[in-house]
Amino acid sequence: MHANDLSALRFAAYIETIGSVIGHADRVEPLRAYCTGLLLPGDRKSVEPMAALIDPARVRSRHQSMHHFVANAGWSDRRVLAAIRQYALPMLEVLDPIEAWIVDDTGFPKKGTHSVGVARQYCGQLGKQDNCQVAVSVSVANAHASLPVAYRLYVPNEWANDAARRSTAGIPDDVTFETKPRIALDQIQRLLAEDVPRGIVLADAAYGNDTKFREGLTALKMIYAVGVQSTTTVWPHGNGPIEPPPKSAVKPAGGRPRTLLRRDAGHQPVPVEQLARDVGRDGFKRVRWREGSDKTLESRFFATRIRVAHRDHWRSKPHAEEWLLIEWPVKAEQATKYWLSTLPEDTSLRRLVHVAKMRWRIERDYEELKSEIGLGHYEGRGWRGFHHHATLCIAAYAFLVAERGLSPPEAEPRRSTLGKSELPKDYRPRGSPVPG
């Protein structure tokens, strides 16, 4: 049997698996049509052009069916994402165990003000503040592949506290304002409860700079390697705040015994950028972390054990020791990136770098989800449609990730082949007319 025929059979079985959790048998057909439309080549993956591509003889009825399925039907995104994981993760793990959980957010520029969650905020796609929607996600990854497994819209304060806008957009009552790190922690906690294979949590400084986020990960027994800003203050190895005297010590005259850490002129933390300057460029070592598309990726790194200093003068014990990893590129005048990590104390520099740099995979996920699958092409304004479209995009992407997992690593293409070989060119959903 031709490889494309086998792929089509696997796709049909995959749709049946997802269809088993969407509530009604009559939803399976629009599910199949929608996922097919996302996978086939096309400049725009909104409902109408997909309907025209899939069923040119019945565009109107096909459009109505697909639109109702994504915008109005009451199936559970959470249950569908669980079914997607059940299908795709075993194929990822054939090549390698899950190594990382990658936290990130992505923005979708919007011109109007009525789409759910749209506000003037930082949009990574544009690289600046602008009108956009932002969604927070968690992806699982190994050395060969990655896949989003949790996805939720960030609801800014001006939406969360506006009853009229909430009602119009259909935002559920239990969705309140939460920061992006808090949303990510909620997602991680839920994934743990659903027994998703654990990995080291990776995130950029927008999340890593949040002390509560890092502490939340530690409370969940999750190891992390997260970016922080250059101004983050730490205690270099061997240094720390002044600890309170033991309980047996004499009480200070006229007061209670000291119970909190304190600092003085001789005990002050330093910004991580200052620590990098103190080490100097010659203290950094060259490390290669992976083969790029046209060259080996390498830079200079330094790692040391530190304690973070955030609000430790309100604590009775210092923060636990962890790793500080710093990157100082060969041609740069100063260090450029900083990470905190709770990897074990005996972790090598090469391993620290490998783990921290795995976060690049999320960029590949979003590049393909947006440019090939149409993640940002949904034109509706409501909460349900926004999340349903994203879930179906993840479903389509997961099928491709799983298909790649069936091939040996050396056979994997360096560039995306989405829409070219994974489905037969003449494939149509069951019940659709075959052209000509």
Side-chain angles (χ1 to χ4, degrees):
M1 186 178 287
H2 193 276
N4 277 348
D5 294 330
L6 290 172
S7 184
L9 288 174
R10 288 192 293 268
F11 180 70
Y14 176 56
I15 292 299
E16 292 297 329
T17 298
I18 298 175
S20 67
V21 302
I22 58 176
H24 297 287
D26 59 1
R27 292 176 180 168
V28 175
E29 185 53 36
L31 164 68
R32 188 191 320 275
Y34 206 94
C35 288
T36 302
L38 294 172
L39 286 167
L40 292 175
D43 294 333
R44 190 73 187 167
K45 302 297 179 72
S46 54
V47 178
E48 187 169 357
M50 289 197 298
L53 180 65
I54 291 166
D55 199 347
R58 296 186 300 152
V59 175
R60 184 172 181 180
S61 62
R62 179 66 73 178
H63 175 275
Q64 290 175 340
S65 170
M66 292 168 65
H67 179 267
H68 175 79
F69 175 69
V70 75
N72 302 314
W75 49 271
S76 165
D77 293 289
R78 183 176 173 182
R79 294 189 67 193
V80 171
L81 287 170
I84 292 167
R85 294 197 305 267
Q86 184 179 2
Y87 177 87
L89 292 193
M91 298 196 191
L92 265 71
E93 293 180 290
V94 164
L95 299 174
D96 258 328
I98 297 302
E99 188 173 3
W101 289 14
I102 308 174
V103 174
D104 203 5
D105 54 68
T106 189
F108 305 96
K110 291 287 180 181
K111 293 187 180 299
T113 59
H114 299 291
S115 295
V116 61
V118 71
R120 187 168 181 79
Q121 54 194 321
Y122 180 78
C123 180
Q125 184 173 326
L126 301 175
K128 63 179 183 179
Q129 293 264 339
D130 211 330
N131 234 36
C132 66
Q133 296 166 301
V134 175
V136 178
S137 68
V138 179
S139 291
V140 295
N142 59 20
H144 301 284
S146 55
L147 176 70
V149 292
Y151 190 91
R152 209 204 88 176
L153 181 69
Y154 166 71
V155 180
N157 245 323
E158 57 263 45
W159 276 85
N161 298 318
D162 188 326
R165 295 177 93 182
R166 290 179 64 101
S167 177
T168 300
I171 299 175
D173 292 341
D174 61 347
V175 174
T176 59
F177 173 75
E178 290 183 298
T179 65
K180 294 169 193 171
R182 182 65 251 177
I183 292 172
L185 270 180
D186 290 344
Q187 291 173 324
I188 289 168
Q189 193 163 9
R190 180 171 290 178
L191 292 171
L192 289 173
E194 295 174 358
D195 292 325
V196 176
R198 283 178 177 250
I200 301 165
V201 177
L202 311 180
D204 64 18
Y207 295 85
N209 242 44
D210 189 308
T211 303
K212 289 183 178 179
F213 177 71
R214 300 195 310 271
E215 291 176 343
L217 293 176
T218 299
L220 293 171
K221 296 181 170 56
M222 297 292 285
I223 295 171
Y224 61 75
V226 296
V228 291
Q229 293 177 345
S230 61
T231 53
T232 301
T233 56
V234 299
W235 296 99
H237 185 62
N239 296 323
I242 302 171
E243 297 197 36
K247 291 182 179 179
S248 58
V250 178
K251 295 182 182 180
R256 301 184 207 173
R258 294 193 186 98
T259 59
L260 300 178
L261 302 171
R262 61 190 179 89
R263 307 171 183 178
D264 63 19
H267 291 82
Q268 290 292 324
V270 297
V272 291
E273 60 184 350
Q274 179 61 52
L275 194 153
R277 286 195 295 268
D278 291 344
V279 171
R281 141 187 351 240
D282 293 340
F284 286 67
K285 295 181 179 179
R286 285 189 185 232
V287 177
R288 296 177 179 179
W289 66 88
R290 72 177 174 90
E291 294 295 325
S293 57
D294 57 358
K295 65 178 180 179
T296 300
L297 299 180
E298 67 173 19
S299 189
R300 294 183 307 190
F301 296 88
F302 172 80
T304 182
R305 301 289 286 175
I306 54 84
R307 297 180 193 272
V308 295
H310 179 76
R311 296 180 66 84
D312 58 5
H313 50 285
W314 290 105
R315 297 169 58 93
S316 58
K317 293 182 180 180
H319 293 277
E321 265 198 347
E322 57 189 295
W323 284 107
L324 170 66
L325 175 67
I326 308 174
E327 180 180 0
W328 190 325
V330 174
K331 296 182 179 180
E333 294 299 317
Q334 60 187 7
T336 57
K337 293 183 180 178
Y338 307 83
W339 295 265
L340 293 175
S341 177
T342 51
L343 281 161
E345 187 174 356
D346 60 356
T347 304
S348 68
L349 177 61
R350 185 176 296 276
R351 171 66 176 159
L352 283 168
V353 172
H354 167 77
V355 170
K357 288 294 186 176
M358 276 192 72
R359 208 189 72 80
W360 73 274
R361 291 190 173 279
I362 195 72
E363 298 173 6
R364 184 190 65 181
D365 282 345
Y366 278 134
E367 179 183 353
E368 293 189 341
L369 277 161
K370 288 183 175 182
S371 64
E372 305 285 355
I373 302 292
L375 180 62
H377 293 180
Y378 183 65
E379 294 176 350
R381 295 176 174 178
W383 173 274
R384 177 174 287 176
F386 177 90
H387 287 91
H388 278 4
H389 174 77
T391 296
L392 296 173
C393 286
I394 292 170
Y397 187 62
F399 177 73
L400 299 185
V401 170
E403 289 292 287
R404 293 168 184 166
L406 296 173
S407 304
E410 61 270 19
E412 290 183 341
R414 286 189 179 273
R415 300 184 65 84
S416 169
T417 58
L418 305 193
K420 295 180 181 178
S421 62
E422 287 80 1
L423 290 174
K425 290 181 180 179
D426 59 352
Y427 179 74
R428 291 294 182 272
R430 184 170 56 194
S432 296
V434 177

